[in-house]
Amino acid sequence: MVDRAPETVAEIASRTGRPLTTVKNTWTRHPAWPDPLPQRRGRWRLYDPADVDAFIRDHIDRQVADLEPTRLYTAQQLEDAGIGIRAGTIRSDLTRRRWPEPDDTEGGTNRWYGATVTEALAGRRGYRRTEGE
């Protein structure tokens, strides 16, 4: 494995495709953000890319939950399944058309197939498919 050169927050933002303000004002303030290296590049602090990658893996990226493709789930059941989105957010995103329409509304309850949810989550930022998908 080749060691990568230390990176500034601007380089981290560019490499990860995130806004500089997100990295600088949110990620670096997280308690688990790695400590800067002792050297600097100009006025910029430098970070070990491997430490940054571990932080992103553990605190930013989320795995798509393992849902049964043909089972119907309510918003609360999806939250309980650990998809990383609260039931209230699902309902709010539904009204804003940022969440797919329910696959079933029998009894006045919105429910989605696991396959529908998995597809919706795969398109959201911060989610990544597990290997083999």
Side-chain angles (χ1 to χ4, degrees):
M1 183 172 149
V2 176
D3 286 334
R4 296 186 320 221
E7 299 174 309
T8 66
V9 290
E11 292 165 340
I12 294 166
S14 177
R15 175 172 64 86
T16 60
R18 303 295 173 95
L20 175 59
T21 54
T22 297
V23 177
K24 186 175 172 185
N25 298 334
T26 305
W27 292 7
T28 61
R29 294 181 181 169
H30 192 284
W33 180 254
D35 291 330
L37 299 171
Q39 68 264 37
R40 288 179 173 252
R41 187 176 310 136
R43 66 180 179 90
W44 293 94
R45 292 177 176 214
L46 295 173
Y47 297 90
D48 182 323
D51 292 344
V52 171
D53 290 345
F55 170 81
I56 292 169
R57 181 190 66 242
D58 295 342
H59 300 283
I60 304 300
D61 282 344
R62 297 172 280 188
Q63 293 289 332
V64 175
D66 187 24
L67 301 173
E68 296 176 38
T70 58
R71 177 181 166 196
L72 286 166
Y73 294 87
T74 64
Q76 187 60 54
Q77 289 170 331
L78 291 169
E79 178 182 341
D80 295 343
I83 67 167
I85 300 175
R86 301 187 76 158
T89 301
I90 292 171
R91 290 187 282 272
S92 176
D93 282 359
L94 177 62
T95 63
R96 291 179 173 93
R97 294 194 163 90
R98 295 187 301 214
W99 188 258
E101 289 295 319
D103 295 307
D104 181 68
T105 58
E106 186 177 324
T109 302
N110 292 333
R111 296 184 301 168
W112 296 264
Y113 285 114
T116 302
V117 174
T118 300
E119 183 178 327
L121 292 176
R124 285 176 85 105
R125 178 174 230 154
Y127 286 88
R128 57 190 159 119
R129 294 183 184 271
T130 56
E131 290 183 26
E133 285 189 32

